[in-house]
Amino acid sequence: MNIVLDLVIALLLLVGCFFTLLGAIALLKLRDFFQRVHGPAKASTLGVGCILFASILYHSVNESGVHPRELLITVFLFLTAPISAHLMSRAALSLMDNRPPHPKRTPDASQRVVDDDDPAPPERD
């Protein structure tokens, strides 16, 4: 295989691993729900997308052909990750006590969403 192509595939894998790791760290370290949704939705989608693109590139050059499963995974990843993050954020906004009555007023992102019926103990800071 061509050395340039090997370097491109290795670079895509490194970038993909970096962004996937960054998304996992964002999920663990960020404070409130909206930040925790935003980090993995953006960074992990880009990371897994780079890894899948490296796999597609490797298999297309290695004479084994592009597998439909790689293309389907890529399509479903880029469709489902942003939509699920958007839906989770909308659901959390609808549970907030002080919802904005007017679109010009934005809610406080650091406000905690509390369900009084939930028996789980509150989160510790």
Side-chain angles (χ1 to χ4, degrees):
M1 198 181 314
N2 191 357
I3 189 77
V4 175
L5 189 62
D6 286 341
L7 290 175
V8 168
I9 291 172
L11 181 68
L12 280 171
L13 288 173
L14 286 174
V15 168
C17 290
F18 171 73
F19 278 110
T20 304
L21 179 66
L22 189 67
I25 291 171
L27 180 64
L28 293 174
K29 293 293 182 181
L30 292 177
R31 276 185 274 154
D32 66 343
F33 175 76
F34 297 105
Q35 292 174 348
R36 284 185 180 164
V37 167
H38 182 74
K42 304 297 182 218
S44 297
T45 302
L46 181 61
V48 174
C50 285
I51 292 170
L52 283 169
F53 186 65
S55 175
I56 289 171
L57 190 62
Y58 175 78
H59 286 294
S60 65
V61 172
N62 205 18
E63 297 178 3
S64 61
V66 178
H67 298 287
R69 66 176 174 258
E70 293 170 338
L71 297 174
L72 286 173
I73 291 170
T74 306
V75 168
F76 286 132
L77 172 76
F78 285 110
L79 285 178
T80 59
I83 291 171
S84 63
H86 176 73
L87 289 175
M88 286 188 288
S89 297
R90 297 248 336 199
L93 276 175
S94 70
L95 292 174
M96 290 178 77
D97 292 333
N98 296 325
R99 285 183 25 199
H102 196 273
K104 291 182 182 176
R105 182 174 159 248
T106 58
D108 183 17
S110 64
Q111 180 180 0
R112 294 192 180 258
V113 177
V114 178
D115 185 7
D116 294 330
D117 297 330
D118 188 12
E123 292 182 20
R124 290 185 231 156
D125 289 330

